[in-house]
């Protein structure tokens, strides 16, 4: 059983940088594919970014591409989401999701990930 834990949320001002962490325990030695999602106030959950652990391919939604960056620490089975030039519209609960498989397709569909963290709040003020 894979367990996912996010951390790193907080309250920041527009233009600031925040880095979220996602540690997945229980992954096989091949690792766990990962996805980041968010739920903005009053909206449905949406995909933000994804990592195909086995290939290293990284995918970003157009709304964050160029501002958000995924990185990884293989030894810790950790994935980080560095969020630069944050905007008030980035305010949301951010969720990390993991698959027991090290690969994912386009790594943007909720159904690709069986295990989800509890979420971490990111609030960006003007």
């Amino acid at each position: 059983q894979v367990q996912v834990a996010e951390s790193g949320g907080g309250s920041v001002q527009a233009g600031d940088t925040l880095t979220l962490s996602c540690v997945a325990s229980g992954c096989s030695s091949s690792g766990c594919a990962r996805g980041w999602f968010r739920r903005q106030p009053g909206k449905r959950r949406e995909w933000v970014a994804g990592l195909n652990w086995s290939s290293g391919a990284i995918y970003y939604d157009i709304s964050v591409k160029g501002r958000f960056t995924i990185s990884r620490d293989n030894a810790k089975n950790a994935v980080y989401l560095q969020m630069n030039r944050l905007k008030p519209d980035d305010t949301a609960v951010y969720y990390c999701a993991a698959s027991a498989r090290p690969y994912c397709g386009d790594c943007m569909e909720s159904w690709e990930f069986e295990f989800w963290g509890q979420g971490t709040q990111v609030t960006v003020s003007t």
Side-chain angles (χ1 to χ4, degrees):
Q1 184 80 358
V2 175
Q3 292 185 317
V4 180
E6 315 101 331
S7 61
S11 296
V12 297
Q13 293 190 321
D16 284 354
T17 294
L18 202 59
T19 299
L20 305 182
S21 300
C22 170
V23 176
S25 58
C27 297
S28 72
S29 58
S30 300
C32 290
R34 224 66 62 89
W36 284 100
F37 296 78
R38 67 184 181 187
R39 176 172 281 133
Q40 296 166 302
K43 296 185 178 180
R44 298 177 65 180
R45 187 175 63 195
E46 64 178 12
W47 173 73
V48 175
L51 167 69
N52 184 319
W53 190 275
S54 60
S55 71
I58 297 173
Y59 308 89
Y60 299 100
D61 182 75
I62 188 67
S63 65
V64 305
K65 193 170 186 178
R67 296 190 299 124
F68 290 11
T69 302
I70 282 183
S71 60
R72 62 195 275 183
D73 184 329
N74 291 349
K76 297 180 180 179
N77 254 325
V79 170
Y80 306 98
L81 183 67
Q82 181 176 327
M83 304 182 295
N84 300 322
R85 304 195 303 277
L86 281 162
K87 306 174 182 179
D89 196 44
D90 293 317
T91 294
V93 178
Y94 284 75
Y95 298 90
C96 178
S99 172
R101 299 171 297 278
Y103 55 87
C104 44
D106 50 15
C107 306
M108 63 184 295
E109 303 294 343
S110 298
W111 54 261
E112 294 187 271
F113 306 99
E114 310 95 285
F115 308 100
W116 292 73
Q118 293 182 330
T120 185
Q121 176 71 47
V122 173
T123 302
V124 185
S125 59
T126 56

